[in-house]
Amino acid sequence: MGKYYITTTLPYVNAEPHIGFAMEIVRADVMARLHRALGDEVFFNTGTDEHGQKIYQKAIDLGIDPQKYCDEYAAKFSILKDSLNLSFNSFVRTTDEHHIKAAQEFWKLCDASGDIYKKSYKTKYCVGCELEKTDSELVDGKCSIHPQMELEIHEEENYFFRFSKYQGKLLELYKNNPDFIQPDFRQNEMKIFVEGGLQDFSISRLKEKMSWGVPVPDDETQVMYVWFDALTNYVSCLGWPENETKFKEFWPGVQVCGKDNLRQQTAMWQAMLMSAGLPTSKQVMVEGFITSGGAKMSKSAGNVIDPLEYVEKYGTDAVRYFLTAELSVFEDSDMTRERFEEAYQANLANGIGNLCARVAAMSEKEGLKVTPSELSIRKEIVEKLDGYKFDEAMALIWEEIRKADALINQREVWKLEGEEKIASLSELVKMIRQIGIDLVPFMPATAEKIMAQYGVEEIKKTENLFQRLA
C-alpha cells in the first residue's frame, strides 16, 4: 500500500460553485477513488480561498462582515461533497486558525532564505486574477481573462518575493521532470515564460487599504497577498508544520488546476516551496475551460451552468459521466443542455441503462446463476488515468458496453434456448460485472448498483439505472 495525495485549487468564495470547478473536483475525485481501489492510502484535499480584495470588496458591498460572508459561501462549496458524491477527506479554509499560522510560518522560512524584501512600487493590477499585470500581458489595455474589469493602479510600499532568483531552479525542475506539468504543451508554455525572465512579485498589501488577509509576521501594518497565503494550503492541510510525520508521508502530491492557474501553481508556488526548503509538487495537471454555446460563461451572457441544478434534474452520476467522458481534458470544451441531454439519452439511458435492464430481464427469466469472481479495474483504464485521460478511459468502458449490445443483437440472444442461451447470458453477465468495476472511480453510485445487481450469483430485475428523459 502506497500513499497518494491529490488536491484541487481552492475556489474563491465570491460566487456560487460553477461547472468549471465541478469538473476539476470530480476529476480529482476520480483519481482519489482509483488509488483507493488500487490499495493506496489517499489524502484528497479541497476547500475555499477566503482572503483578498475581491472577497473583501464583495462583503463590503453587501454590508456584512467578511468572515460571515466567507462562512456562508464556504458552506455552499462544502455541500458539493454530497451533491457530486465526492470522497475528499480534507476541506481547508484559509481563514482557519491553523492555516493562518502555517502561512505565517511559511513566510518566515522564505524570509530566512533572504527572499522577502520591502520596496515601494507602482503597478497595474487585475482584481479578477488577483495578479499584477505587465503591459505585454494586456490586450487593448485590459486583462485577457477579465476584459470587463478595469485594471487598478497600485502604488504603495509592500513586501516582495524574489521570484527572479528561481529562474534557473525552475528550468532545472522542468528539465529533470519532463512530466511535471500535464499536458506537455503547458510545460513548454511555462518553460518559455520562465526563460523570458521572472519579475519579483508583491506578497503583501497595506492593512489600512485592505485589511482582509493573514497578518504579516512582525509587521502589523501589512497583510499577506492572497496568493502567498492561499497557496500554502497545499501543505497546511497536512498538518504542516507541526505534523511532520503526516507531511512527509503524503507530500509531495498531485495538484489539479485550470489553465488560468498555470503560472501560480507551476512557477510561483514551486519557487515558494524551494525558498521555504520544502519539496516541490509531484505533478500538476492543468485543465482547459468549459464554454457554453461556444462562448465564455458569464452572468451577463446568461449561459452560466449551475452544477447543482443539473444534479437535481439529471442525477449525480449523469453529471459525473458528462464531466469525465464528454469533455476534453486539456483543451477547452463546450457544454450545453442540448449536448448534455443528447449524451444522457444515447449513452446512459439507451446505453448502459438499457444493457443492464435487458440482460437482467433475460437472466431472471432463465433462472441464470453465475458464480461471482474477484475483479479489479482493467489495466488499460488505469494506464489512461495515469495520464489523466479521463475521456479516453471512459471511451474504453463504453466500448465494452457497445460490444455487449452487439453480442446480444448479433446472436439474437432473446431467441436462443438451452445451453446456448445460458452461455451467452453468462458471458454478458461477466462483461457487465467488469464494466461495473471499471466505473467505480467515475460513477461510484452506478457502479454500486450494478454490482448489487450483477455481483451476486442470481441476477434479478431492478429499475433502470437511468430513466429516459421525457
Side-chain angles (χ1 to χ4, degrees):
M1 178 187 287
K3 307 281 188 183
Y4 182 78
Y5 170 81
I6 188 164
T7 180
T8 68
T9 53
L10 300 192
Y12 275 125
V13 290
N14 68 325
E16 306 281 340
H18 59 77
I19 196 68
F21 182 67
M23 176 178 70
E24 179 178 323
I25 201 167
V26 164
R27 287 171 172 174
D29 186 65
V30 169
M31 297 304 297
R33 289 180 182 275
L34 170 70
H35 279 270
R36 287 194 196 97
L38 296 176
D40 292 334
E41 184 181 350
V42 173
F43 190 90
F44 175 14
N45 176 59
T46 189
T48 44
D49 182 357
E50 302 180 14
H51 289 126
Q53 189 171 345
K54 267 196 295 196
I55 292 163
Y56 179 72
Q57 193 59 52
K58 188 92 172 187
I60 296 303
D61 291 345
L62 294 171
I64 61 175
D65 178 72
Q67 186 62 62
K68 182 182 178 184
Y69 171 85
C70 289
D71 291 344
E72 291 175 358
Y73 269 83
K76 295 180 181 183
F77 279 90
S78 66
I79 64 171
L80 291 177
K81 186 165 192 176
D82 290 334
S83 299
L84 294 173
N85 194 7
L86 304 169
S87 62
F88 59 79
N89 54 340
S90 170
F91 189 90
V92 64
R93 296 180 57 186
T94 58
T95 53
D96 290 342
E97 185 179 347
H98 175 265
H99 171 78
I100 289 171
K101 289 180 178 177
Q104 290 173 325
E105 181 61 27
F106 197 97
W107 177 289
K108 290 176 185 177
L109 290 174
C110 294
D111 190 26
S113 295
D115 293 333
I116 294 178
Y117 64 96
K118 204 173 189 181
K119 77 166 185 176
S120 296
Y121 79 114
K122 183 177 180 179
T123 188
K124 294 173 182 175
Y125 184 82
C126 174
V127 175
C129 292
E130 296 277 18
L131 282 176
E132 297 156 6
K133 298 289 180 175
T134 62
D135 289 338
S136 63
E137 295 175 288
L138 304 178
V139 178
D140 296 327
K142 302 274 189 176
C143 170
S144 59
I145 300 173
H146 301 97
Q148 77 284 2
M149 287 185 163
E150 291 295 326
L151 291 172
E152 295 186 356
I153 303 298
H154 283 191
E155 186 172 9
E156 58 187 61
E157 187 176 46
N158 293 151
Y159 287 98
F160 276 70
F161 176 74
R162 295 188 194 279
F163 194 32
S164 57
K165 173 180 169 181
Y166 290 92
Q167 179 183 31
K169 289 186 178 180
L170 285 170
L171 291 174
E172 186 179 348
L173 171 67
Y174 304 150
K175 180 180 178 181
N176 294 339
N177 301 274
D179 298 326
F180 178 68
I181 305 172
Q182 291 293 307
D184 56 1
F185 65 83
R186 294 295 179 202
Q187 178 132 323
N188 290 334
E189 186 179 331
M190 284 313 299
K191 282 170 63 178
I192 293 169
F193 169 75
V194 174
E195 285 170 347
L198 301 176
Q199 300 295 316
D200 296 350
F201 58 86
S202 171
I203 56 172
S204 74
R205 295 290 179 263
L206 275 173
K207 188 175 181 179
E208 65 181 36
K209 290 186 178 180
M210 206 289 295
S211 61
W212 189 239
V214 175
V216 167
D218 304 318
D219 189 343
E220 60 185 24
T221 68
Q222 302 266 336
V223 295
M224 290 185 197
Y225 163 62
V226 62
W227 277 108
F228 194 95
D229 147 33
L231 289 168
T232 59
N233 92 87
Y234 303 128
V235 294
S236 71
C237 68
L238 291 167
W240 183 90
E242 300 90 352
N243 195 338
E244 191 174 335
T245 300
K246 185 177 183 180
F247 174 71
K248 287 183 176 179
E249 281 180 342
F250 286 99
W251 186 262
V254 173
Q255 296 178 217
V256 182
C257 71
K259 65 180 184 180
D260 55 335
N261 263 259
L262 178 63
R263 187 200 312 180
Q264 296 94 313
Q265 307 296 331
T266 65
M268 293 166 65
W269 170 232
Q270 304 310 317
M272 287 164 57
L273 285 165
M274 292 171 184
S275 177
L278 300 179
T280 52
S281 303
K282 182 179 180 180
Q283 194 171 51
V284 184
M285 192 275 275
V286 184
E287 303 179 305
F289 287 158
I290 298 180
T291 57
S292 184
K296 184 178 179 181
M297 290 188 201
S298 69
K299 289 182 180 179
S300 59
N303 64 349
V304 173
I305 294 174
D306 178 0
L308 300 181
E309 186 258 317
Y310 270 58
V311 166
E312 183 70 25
K313 182 170 183 178
Y314 305 105
T316 295
D317 272 7
V319 174
R320 288 180 65 106
Y321 164 79
F322 193 88
L323 295 177
T324 52
E326 298 290 334
L327 300 176
S328 171
V329 182
F330 303 126
E331 303 285 358
D332 292 356
S333 295
D334 202 54
M335 180 176 179
T336 60
R337 191 175 297 276
E338 293 74 20
R339 188 174 170 220
F340 184 96
E341 291 190 348
E342 182 182 331
Y344 179 101
Q345 293 280 53
N347 297 322
L348 298 180
N350 297 332
I352 191 169
N354 186 54
L355 171 66
C356 290
R358 290 176 74 190
V359 174
M362 290 188 286
S363 297
E364 182 175 350
K365 186 176 180 180
E366 292 297 317
L368 181 71
K369 292 185 178 181
V370 183
T371 303
S373 58
E374 194 72 28
L375 295 172
S376 58
I377 298 171
R378 282 185 291 152
K379 182 182 177 183
E380 305 95 295
I381 304 293
V382 176
E383 288 175 348
K384 291 293 185 185
L385 289 182
D386 281 344
Y388 310 106
K389 297 175 181 176
F390 303 95
D391 51 347
E392 293 183 17
M394 286 291 262
L396 289 176
I397 297 172
W398 255 258
E399 187 179 317
E400 290 303 298
I401 292 169
R402 284 189 286 274
K403 283 181 182 177
D405 279 330
L407 188 153
I408 294 171
N409 295 327
Q410 288 167 5
R411 297 183 188 176
E412 297 185 317
V413 174
W414 62 92
K415 292 182 180 179
L416 298 177
E417 296 180 357
E419 288 300 318
E420 197 175 5
K421 189 167 191 176
I422 295 296
S424 289
L425 285 174
S426 296
E427 186 177 348
L428 287 164
V429 166
K430 291 174 182 176
M431 290 177 74
I432 291 172
R433 284 175 179 169
Q434 185 62 59
I435 288 166
I437 293 297
D438 289 343
L439 281 174
V440 164
F442 302 93
M443 300 164 66
T446 299
E448 189 175 336
K449 289 177 183 177
I450 291 173
M451 296 315 294
Q453 183 179 27
Y454 280 88
V456 293
E457 188 175 61
E458 198 168 349
I459 290 88
K460 300 289 185 182
K461 287 189 296 184
T462 60
E463 64 177 18
N464 282 17
L465 294 170
F466 295 94
Q467 300 299 319
R468 290 183 174 87
L469 300 175

